Amino acid sequence: MTMPVASVAKCKTPAAEHKTAEAKHKTIDIVQERGQREVFCGLTGIVWLHRRMQDAFFLVVGSRTCAHLLQSAAGVMIFAEPRFGTAILDDRDLSGSADFNDELERIVNDLVVRRPEIKTLFLVGSCPSEVIKLDLEKAAERLNKIHPLRVLSFSGSGIETTFTQGEDNCLKALIADMVQGSPAGDDDVAFSRPCELLVLGTVADVVEDQFTRLLQAMGINSVAFLPTRSASRLPLIDQNTKVVLVQPFVGESLRELTRHGLQHIQTVFPFGAEGTLRWLKAIADAFDIDSQHFDRVVEAPLSRARTAMKKVAEPLQGRRVSFFPDSQLEIPMARFLYEECGMQPVEIGVPFFDRQCIGAELDLLPDNIRFVEGQHVDEQLARLHQDQPDLTVCGMGLGNPLEAQGLATKWSIELVFSPIHGFEQAADLAALFVKPLKRRQLLKVPA
Amino acid sequence: MKLALWTYEGPPHIGAMRVVNSMQNAHYVLHAPQGDTYADLLFTMIERQNHRPPVTYTTFQARDLGSDTANLFVESVLDAAERFKPDVMFVGESCTAELIQDQPGSLALGIEGLDVPVVPLEHPAYSRKENYGASEALYAVVRAVLKDDVIPDQRTPSVNLIGPSSLGFRCRDDIKEVMALLQSIGVQTNAVVPLNATLADIKSLPQATANVCLYSEVGRTTCDWLKRQFKQPVIDVVPIGVTATREFVKAVAEAVGVDATAALQNHASRLPWYSRSIDSNYLTGKRVFIFADATHAIAAARVASEELGFEVVGLGTYSREFGREVRAAAESYGIEALITDDYLEVEDAVKSTEPELVLGTQMERHMAKRLGIACCVISAPFHVEDVPARYSPQMGYEGANVIFDSWVHPLMMGLEEHLLGMFTDDFEFSDAAPSHLGSHASYASDSPTGDAITPQQVTPGNIDAVANAAASQTNTAQTDTSQIKTEADGLQGNDSLWTVDAERELKKIPFFVRGKAKRNTERYAGQFGLQTITLETLYDAKAHYSGS
């Protein structure tokens, strides 16, 4: 069982990559595009955040459109009563004949009675609330004094945020209460001492458990994940806490944390066998974990992941893939598909570039890729038809139309809804991309 | 400001989108922020539409607000006109754009050299909803095309079908069924709008003898205008159910002037015989709760009551515009209509009426599943599973067949019901065991607050209290955890009244009627001032309420 040692060496982790906060990444040409953006707004993140944080309620202050988006966007309605809702503004609110604070207070009172188990309430700003300049931060402060629950606010509006930026803003809103010595006090924090490592971004519960076990086996015992499963049990952080990203869309929260003195472990994201290995190795190096010990810890799961990947990813070899801008996961996914599945990315569209988050991933991508920031959906579709990739990763609004035109697609929303991080899920992630291709081979009915 | 968890209707621009998407070669430029493009997937996912809806969104962002969103809109119109070359261009705005007051209608009308007819839509997004938006969009385009036309000298003996649209319940199949029905009495369909309609179809509307208003929610305003403008009578009968279909045939024949006697003698539905066959005895008096758009709610109540022999215990709609009609229908069943767009209110009504079948929308499917009640979806809003691959209209004679099958199937029927009642001790008949209906949820095991509930809150007496969020109740007498009852017995009410014997006997009653038995017995005890419910009381109450 000596394989891991050799394998680790093979995975060409640049030793210095994570040592300096401002690592130099290679430059790439990016086409900026403006036009119709076929991307969700930040409110959409509520669909998973409200399940992740079980004692939190998300109250969107917005319009009927916001409410309709929330119940339609995910394509699912969960049978349990949702822990989110929309305070729908009406003519009285717009004309000013109803007092905003009174109205909001009435709704929050009702909510508190109806859902007494709620410990944290997020007031979520929307396009209309921002255009008419409702101050949700002040409203939250006010409600905090009235109710024995924590009230926070963040923006999920489409004029300010795209899809996954809602989560970024939500997490950023939590950070102030996590800093040691914050007025929130120790009641709210889960740890009596600041954690050593903060893992930033939503992961599936099972992934959190797997990573926690691996990190503890490496010798890092004080690990916290944000968002937490309980919004009222937040980890404590201080200048000795190191932060590592597990999602590429949490840049604002990251910058907020580094402002508080936290050290950012820059690396790739833990997708696939090699991505997970690099991610863990970067953490291990940041904590000066003995490399032989590290190899021993990752040996079994790494070997499992590689074996499973070999079995699953074969159909992707040599295939061409294009991405429509969606969740910011486009570049990490392209890296995974290129490096670990042998696919050739053709065009990668992203809502926006955040080099601090995805720089390490860019370094691992080949040069012949067309990068597009922003979107003009009609132009992008025209290019797609020119390119004719074997697989297109796109949102649900485009999936069926593209399939009908003969292009295989993968819904990008599954990438934020499924456990895809880590060694044990590496092959599952590859399988997500294999499935649409395999299905086309299986079906003998005419297109 | 109003709290909404799930909503029955989207905003008005979604309704407009349904109309534009229904039409052929029409386009809609919507002034809207990023995020509003979610609406595309309603069409591509729920209806599995194989092309993008014909909508261009300006998707303005915060940084555009300071500069020139109006210009962004104009550019989007020009780009869409060039790219898609539509026959007609709708322009409008979503809720956020309404606030920035760019007035897209005037902007589009003012664009020089824009070589396409423009239909401006102005929907008050903060006071109206989806069906209003659909109705107004249809009216706007019909009026724009026909406002200068005059009553034609001669008309073909034909009708127009007004109202079927994208994301309307089973519209695709209803049109086919109704057109075949008309054909069978020698009446041509002049035009169907808006579904699959071209501008030429709209232009031809005045040629028909009469207009059939198939779905008032979308077509009523247009039918009324056509009646005023072109003196076209409106046929209001919605052909859902055998009787209504026959009335529809009569009404059309009369309006167009054809003889339908032969066709009426030879109706093609199996529903009447299926409903009279002995197996259907079990359907008698099944308690049904109906909540839908007005068209489907009113029609379903009639079919349930007159053609299946159900008892309508609840009837309501979220279509406030047609509240009057639904109230009148409810009155004829001796009940009070529920007119609301708050699904929590509907859930409370379902619980309190204890139906055996819920006919409703996607929302009712959810609540019925939580409550362990059989359910069938009969109206928008619906999910992808309610857009079946097979032909399954609601209207006409085939529609009646489809209704018989799809409403009866979810119910517990015949010998299964008897066996459950006979041998309640059979371990495989436990309350949690599946019948052909699948496993049952129950009132107690799956509380209305879903996963958020804690055991301390679930005592037999306060399940409703939790649901109703009556804080005072949740704070009193609920701390005694010894009262916690976890078996899924579907009970609610006052357990302290019951003796051990009576309670044991109660549990021998099959779970699907146990709630009713318990409620009746407690009502009986209350009425006669009894302090305890004994075994005798249980049967006294049974006798007291027999036949009622």
Side-chain angles (χ1 to χ4, degrees):
Chain A
M1 295 293 272
T2 52
M3 190 188 89
V5 181
S7 311
V8 172
K10 235 191 285 175
C11 92
K12 51 182 178 180
T13 312
E17 183 186 281
H18 41 78
K19 291 285 183 189
T20 53
E22 288 303 316
K24 284 264 183 287
H25 297 297
K26 76 176 183 192
T27 53
I28 50 159
D29 291 332
I30 301 165
V31 180
Q32 306 269 348
E33 205 166 47
R34 296 217 48 193
Q36 177 176 324
R37 290 167 74 107
E38 193 83 9
V39 183
F40 291 139
C41 64
L43 294 181
T44 323
I46 293 171
V47 175
W48 64 86
L49 287 170
H50 89 282
R51 288 287 139 197
R52 170 69 183 174
M53 292 186 269
Q54 298 184 9
D55 53 356
F57 193 96
F58 294 81
L59 181 63
V60 177
V61 180
S63 66
R64 181 163 296 280
T65 313
C66 306
H68 199 235
L69 166 116
L70 277 174
Q71 84 181 43
S72 314
V76 289
M77 274 175 60
I78 296 153
F79 281 99
E81 186 173 313
R83 286 185 293 263
F84 60 77
T86 308
I88 297 183
L89 299 164
D90 58 32
D91 284 339
R92 290 172 61 248
D93 301 301
L94 299 181
S95 65
S97 63
D99 180 82
F100 164 64
N101 281 315
D102 293 349
E103 290 288 297
L104 195 59
E105 196 182 318
R106 176 175 57 77
I107 282 180
V108 172
N109 286 345
D110 289 352
L111 256 182
V112 169
V113 171
R114 188 176 164 77
R115 309 295 298 262
E117 72 285 357
I118 298 300
K119 300 281 191 297
T120 300
L121 173 69
F122 290 99
L123 300 179
V124 189
S126 66
C127 298
S129 82
E130 281 173 15
V131 169
I132 63 172
K133 298 192 167 32
L134 294 180
D135 192 338
L136 295 189
E137 208 176 319
K138 270 227 175 77
E141 272 172 35
R142 207 171 150 272
L143 289 165
N144 259 320
K145 288 177 194 142
I146 303 171
H147 291 289
L149 77 172
R150 186 209 338 237
V151 187
L152 296 169
S153 71
F154 71 90
S155 168
S157 90
I159 56 175
E160 293 284 358
T161 63
T162 92
F163 195 11
T164 47
Q165 277 179 298
E167 169 166 339
D168 195 12
N169 286 349
C170 173
L171 301 187
K172 195 178 162 193
L174 286 168
I175 289 171
D177 287 347
M178 293 161 44
V179 180
Q180 191 166 37
S182 73
D186 288 350
D187 294 347
D188 274 343
V189 292
F191 297 79
S192 54
R193 285 184 304 161
C195 61
E196 293 176 277
L197 177 67
L198 182 68
V199 183
L200 192 60
T202 295
V203 287
D205 294 347
V206 64
V207 172
E208 176 179 346
D209 295 342
Q210 290 167 3
F211 282 158
T212 303
R213 282 197 298 270
L214 283 170
L215 292 165
Q216 283 177 349
M218 279 159 54
I220 308 166
N221 287 309
S222 169
V223 183
F225 287 73
L226 188 69
T228 38
R229 294 185 201 194
S230 151
S232 55
R233 288 177 52 79
L234 292 172
L236 202 58
I237 52 170
D238 73 0
Q239 295 191 345
N240 297 317
T241 306
K242 295 182 173 64
V243 56
V244 69
L245 305 192
V246 79
Q247 293 284 11
F249 45 73
V250 288
E252 287 305 314
S253 301
L254 172 66
R255 286 179 276 279
E256 179 71 11
L257 288 166
T258 51
R259 267 194 290 278
H260 286 290
L262 276 73
Q263 189 202 325
H264 173 204
I265 305 174
Q266 275 206 16
T267 177
V268 298
F269 292 91
F271 296 120
E274 311 311 321
T276 304
L277 176 63
R278 280 205 190 78
W279 186 78
L280 286 169
K281 181 67 179 156
I283 296 168
D285 288 351
F287 283 88
D288 290 322
I289 308 285
D290 172 72
S291 68
Q292 284 189 354
H293 176 60
F294 174 81
D295 291 342
R296 271 194 302 275
V297 170
V298 299
E299 177 181 343
L302 175 64
S303 152
R304 267 201 303 271
R306 282 179 174 161
T307 309
M309 280 290 292
K310 216 172 253 165
K311 276 195 288 189
V312 172
E314 202 281 323
L316 299 174
Q317 279 290 336
R319 304 292 193 111
R320 297 159 72 242
V321 59
S322 279
F323 292 84
F324 275 59
D326 194 60
S327 62
Q328 295 290 119
L329 278 159
E330 296 78 22
I331 287 173
M333 285 303 124
R335 195 280 306 160
F336 165 74
L337 292 174
Y338 168 72
E339 187 191 28
E340 304 196 31
C341 306
M343 288 188 98
Q344 174 58 48
V346 182
E347 171 167 325
I348 305 177
V350 291
F352 60 95
F353 267 86
D354 187 340
R355 282 172 187 280
Q356 208 173 355
C357 296
I358 48 96
E361 300 275 354
L362 285 176
D363 291 345
L364 295 166
L365 282 169
D367 290 329
N368 55 346
I369 299 174
R370 194 188 311 130
F371 289 97
V372 183
E373 181 180 30
Q375 191 175 31
H376 186 307
V377 71
D378 296 306
E379 296 291 327
Q380 193 179 17
L381 285 167
R383 288 196 301 274
L384 184 77
H385 287 297
Q386 287 274 312
D387 292 339
Q388 289 289 315
D390 298 301
L391 187 66
T392 304
V393 185
C394 63
M396 287 195 292
L398 295 169
N400 274 335
L402 290 177
E403 290 281 351
Q405 290 170 325
L407 290 155
T409 60
K410 171 76 240 128
W411 302 350
S412 45
I413 200 159
E414 263 189 290
L415 302 171
V416 289
F417 274 18
S418 328
I420 57 170
H421 296 78
F423 289 132
E424 315 301 351
Q425 282 70 235
D428 299 345
L429 178 56
L432 281 181
F433 296 98
V434 170
K435 193 173 268 177
L437 299 174
K438 192 172 163 191
R439 184 158 183 78
R440 306 187 128 227
Q441 283 190 329
L442 281 173
L443 296 180
K444 303 299 180 212
V445 289
Chain B
M1 208 180 273
K2 188 173 187 323
L3 179 65
L5 301 176
W6 301 127
T7 66
Y8 287 95
E9 289 182 77
H13 73 261
I14 297 289
M17 214 176 276
R18 286 172 53 185
V19 167
V20 182
N21 185 65
S22 299
M23 291 178 61
Q24 292 188 43
N25 215 25
H27 202 85
Y28 188 17
V29 177
L30 187 69
H31 205 17
Q34 166 176 272
D36 285 7
T37 51
Y38 80 88
D40 282 4
L41 67 86
L42 300 173
F43 302 95
T44 64
M45 295 302 290
I46 296 175
E47 286 198 322
R48 298 179 208 255
Q49 187 170 295
N50 66 1
H51 55 275
R52 292 166 64 207
V55 184
T56 295
Y57 306 78
T58 57
T59 53
F60 57 83
Q61 294 172 276
R63 60 182 172 191
D64 301 316
L65 292 179
S67 54
D68 197 356
T69 49
N71 194 43
L72 179 64
F73 174 79
V74 170
E75 280 170 11
S76 301
V77 171
L78 287 167
D79 183 49
E82 170 66 25
R83 194 180 292 274
F84 301 104
K85 301 191 170 46
D87 295 336
V88 56
M89 173 92 84
F90 293 75
V91 298
E93 56 197 353
S94 77
C95 52
T96 307
E98 185 178 323
L99 298 172
I100 60 177
Q101 299 181 335
D102 282 335
Q103 297 177 318
S106 326
L107 283 174
L109 291 170
I111 299 174
E112 275 183 40
L114 182 65
D115 194 20
V116 56
V118 169
V119 179
L121 301 176
E122 278 176 37
H123 301 133
Y126 295 90
S127 54
R128 306 309 290 260
K129 291 180 285 192
E130 179 175 335
N131 282 341
Y132 171 86
S135 172
E136 287 295 302
L138 179 60
Y139 169 57
V141 67
V142 168
R143 196 172 186 280
V145 173
L146 295 174
K147 64 179 186 308
D148 300 325
D149 285 28
V150 293
I151 300 173
D153 299 335
Q154 269 207 316
R155 282 179 159 142
T156 51
S158 62
V159 294
N160 300 314
L161 306 182
I162 315 273
S165 73
S166 280
L167 292 174
F169 192 71
R170 305 283 163 90
C171 287
R172 175 196 74 190
D173 296 344
D174 279 351
I175 293 175
K176 190 174 167 192
E177 183 67 17
V178 170
M179 284 171 71
L181 187 65
L182 293 169
Q183 183 97 45
S184 74
I185 57 165
V187 173
Q188 294 302 314
T189 304
N190 177 65
V192 180
V193 290
L195 200 54
N196 303 323
T198 60
L199 266 199
D201 288 332
I202 292 177
K203 191 75 184 163
S204 81
L205 286 173
Q207 301 295 330
T209 320
N211 290 312
V212 174
C213 187
L214 277 186
Y215 308 93
S216 285
E217 285 80 1
V218 178
R220 170 63 51 192
T221 308
T222 299
C223 285
D224 288 350
W225 183 78
L226 289 169
K227 185 179 179 183
R228 285 198 304 274
Q229 194 79 354
F230 301 108
K231 308 279 180 271
Q232 280 172 308
V234 181
I235 293 161
D236 285 316
V237 188
V238 176
I240 295 180
V242 174
T243 315
T245 298
R246 290 166 61 81
E247 289 171 5
F248 173 80
V249 169
K250 268 185 229 165
V252 172
E254 202 178 290
V256 181
V258 296
D259 182 6
T261 324
L264 284 169
Q265 278 165 356
N266 180 28
H267 70 72
S269 178
R270 294 188 187 93
L271 183 143
W273 167 240
Y274 270 46
S275 216
R276 285 175 191 280
S277 68
I278 55 168
D279 191 61
S280 293
N281 263 311
Y282 298 111
L283 301 177
T284 313
K286 287 277 185 194
R287 297 165 61 82
V288 58
F289 184 99
I290 300 164
F291 193 87
D293 65 18
T295 298
H296 290 92
I298 293 170
R302 186 173 181 194
V303 174
S305 161
E306 296 178 8
E307 303 187 12
L308 295 167
F310 292 161
E311 182 190 357
V312 179
V313 296
L315 178 60
T317 186
Y318 58 85
S319 309
R320 282 185 190 277
E321 292 91 340
F322 301 95
R324 196 160 47 94
E325 288 83 344
V326 177
R327 278 194 195 93
E331 212 168 288
S332 72
Y333 304 105
I335 52 177
E336 198 184 328
L338 176 63
I339 315 291
T340 181
D341 59 359
D342 182 347
Y343 94 107
L344 296 172
E345 236 180 279
V346 180
E347 181 159 338
D348 285 343
V350 171
K351 274 189 282 185
S352 68
T353 48
E354 293 183 359
E356 288 152 280
L357 176 67
V358 174
L359 301 175
T361 71
Q362 184 58 34
M363 251 62 78
E364 282 67 44
R365 186 214 292 283
H366 281 234
M367 63 184 75
K369 179 154 183 169
R370 270 206 297 277
L371 299 171
I373 305 170
C375 178
C376 184
V377 172
I378 59 158
S379 157
F382 52 85
H383 268 194
V384 63
E385 61 270 31
D386 293 303
V387 187
R390 67 181 181 278
Y391 181 59
S392 42
Q394 298 288 288
M395 293 184 173
Y397 296 127
E398 184 58 22
N401 294 340
V402 170
I403 285 174
F404 185 93
D405 290 348
S406 46
W407 296 6
V408 168
H409 172 79
L411 290 168
M412 175 117 32
M413 285 285 286
L415 292 177
E416 181 182 23
E417 198 167 337
H418 279 310
L419 282 170
L420 283 168
M422 275 288 279
F423 307 111
T424 50
D425 280 347
D426 186 314
F427 67 97
E428 286 186 324
F429 282 177
S430 74
D431 293 349
S435 74
H436 78 275
L437 302 174
S439 61
H440 289 267
S442 80
Y443 291 83
S445 64
D446 192 3
S447 80
T449 43
D451 51 2
I453 201 141
T454 62
Q456 281 75 14
Q457 291 162 331
V458 190
T459 57
N462 84 326
I463 289 158
D464 269 350
V466 173
N468 298 333
S472 55
Q473 282 172 277
T474 48
N475 290 336
T476 54
Q478 260 75 59
T479 44
D480 182 5
T481 50
S482 66
Q483 282 182 35
I484 293 173
K485 201 168 186 176
T486 49
E487 71 261 45
D489 57 5
L491 298 185
Q492 44 190 315
N494 191 351
D495 279 21
S496 62
L497 287 175
W498 291 74
T499 63
V500 176
D501 279 358
E503 205 170 349
R504 201 178 295 137
E505 196 76 0
L506 179 69
K507 282 192 187 143
K508 294 177 188 166
I509 298 171
F511 65 89
F512 49 88
V513 287
R514 196 182 301 148
K516 187 180 172 186
K518 181 164 197 226
R519 195 175 42 124
N520 279 350
T521 310
E522 287 175 359
R523 186 147 57 105
Y524 177 85
Q527 201 176 327
F528 292 93
L530 306 177
Q531 296 307 305
T532 36
I533 293 172
T534 62
L535 221 154
E536 290 299 308
T537 322
L538 181 64
Y539 287 109
D540 286 345
K542 183 172 190 278
H544 182 79
Y545 289 112
S546 324
S548 68

